[in-house]
Amino acid sequence: AVVSTQSTGKETVESVHWTRLLWTKLLELDMEATLSCQVLTNRCTESSSYLTLLTLFMILEILGGAVWLIPVNIASLISSTSLRTFVLYTNMLLAQVYDEIVKILSKALAGRQRPGIEDSLKLPLINNFSFPSGHSSRMGLLSFLLVSTEQRSLLYCFILAVLVFGMCLSRVLIGKYFVSDVVAGFVLGNINAVVFTTWLWVGEDKLEHWYFKLNALTGGFGL
């Protein structure tokens, strides 16, 4: 019994040791990939492409932010011309709020500081935590909802995929996120979408009253 206990204890120690080595290696690879992306950005900023790159990243920063997307979502909700679209935009709005809460809690719990790489683009930051990426989480959530709740064409899906990829990649290129922050954010967004559509989705039966009430207040949709 004593020999068995010692053997089990040794196996546990070895397991912890190899787990730590693997985790350390993953973090090293994460930093290497992040630094490689930043090297590419710095080369561009030293050339005539600086203003073009800065403009592009600023556009992506705004388009992927809650400050832009939530008002657009509300405007789409108010201008809905059918109960079906009203339900979709209402749930997209609620899902974004849910995703935002989960993201804030995740950042606070993880407490991971940003890479500390010199930001040659000098883009503004809301907080000092990077894990997970809020923009990537939001993109994962919305892209899942847009594709899973409506029948979309291949062209639509392709354009959406390019936009989402560019948005996520830009988070690393600006030097304020690790590659793992972006990957984790996108995965978290998809998980939040699955959770929301499975357990929190508000159906037409509960929103029909509000649809017609808002219709009466605005004098008709499609303003």
Side-chain angles (χ1 to χ4, degrees):
V2 174
V3 174
S4 177
T5 302
Q6 291 178 344
S7 177
T8 303
K10 184 178 180 181
E11 290 177 356
T12 301
V13 172
E14 290 181 351
S15 177
V16 171
H17 173 70
W18 285 109
T19 300
R20 287 178 177 175
L21 285 178
L22 177 60
W23 183 248
T24 301
K25 185 61 177 179
L26 289 174
L27 290 177
E28 290 176 355
L29 291 174
D30 188 23
M31 177 57 82
E32 289 176 7
T34 303
L35 289 173
S36 297
C37 290
Q38 189 58 25
V39 167
L40 176 62
T41 302
N42 290 337
R43 286 178 180 175
C44 292
T45 57
E46 294 170 357
S47 67
S48 57
S49 304
Y50 174 73
L51 290 179
T52 301
L53 189 67
L54 177 61
T55 302
L56 175 61
F57 283 167
M58 287 300 293
I59 291 175
L60 291 175
E61 178 82 16
I62 295 172
L63 291 181
V67 176
W68 159 261
L69 287 174
I70 288 182
V72 169
N73 198 155
I74 294 175
S76 300
L77 186 157
I78 294 175
S79 60
S80 297
T81 56
S82 68
L83 177 59
R84 181 178 58 80
T85 55
F86 180 79
V87 170
L88 174 61
Y89 290 130
T90 298
N91 279 286
M92 286 181 67
L93 178 61
L94 295 175
Q96 285 192 76
V97 174
Y98 170 74
D99 180 72
E100 197 69 20
I101 294 173
V102 174
K103 180 206 70 178
I104 291 173
L105 291 176
S106 299
K107 280 181 178 286
L109 289 173
R112 187 185 196 185
Q113 297 294 316
R114 297 183 185 276
I117 301 172
E118 182 181 357
D119 180 14
S120 50
L121 295 175
K122 308 300 180 184
L123 295 176
L125 292 172
I126 297 177
N127 56 63
N128 293 322
F129 298 135
S130 66
F131 186 92
S133 165
H135 278 62
S136 300
S137 176
R138 199 172 298 110
M139 289 299 99
L141 174 86
L142 294 178
S143 60
F144 183 96
L145 293 178
L146 288 171
V147 173
S148 64
T149 56
E150 295 283 335
Q151 186 173 358
R152 308 293 185 181
S153 66
L154 289 177
L155 178 60
Y156 181 96
C157 294
F158 175 77
I159 294 175
L160 180 63
V162 171
L163 178 62
V164 170
F165 178 78
M167 182 74 67
C168 292
L169 180 61
S170 72
R171 312 316 297 159
V172 182
L173 292 176
I174 64 176
K176 295 304 182 184
Y177 294 88
F178 292 98
V179 172
S180 58
D181 298 333
V182 173
V183 174
F186 184 77
V187 172
L188 177 64
N190 279 271
I191 292 175
N192 287 339
V194 171
V195 171
F196 188 88
T197 54
T198 303
W199 290 289
L200 303 175
W201 188 269
V202 184
E204 291 186 1
D205 56 326
K206 296 181 180 179
L207 291 176
E208 184 176 13
H209 168 74
W210 296 104
Y211 170 74
F212 288 109
K213 187 173 183 179
L214 184 59
N215 191 9
L217 288 174
T218 59
F221 292 102
L223 298 178

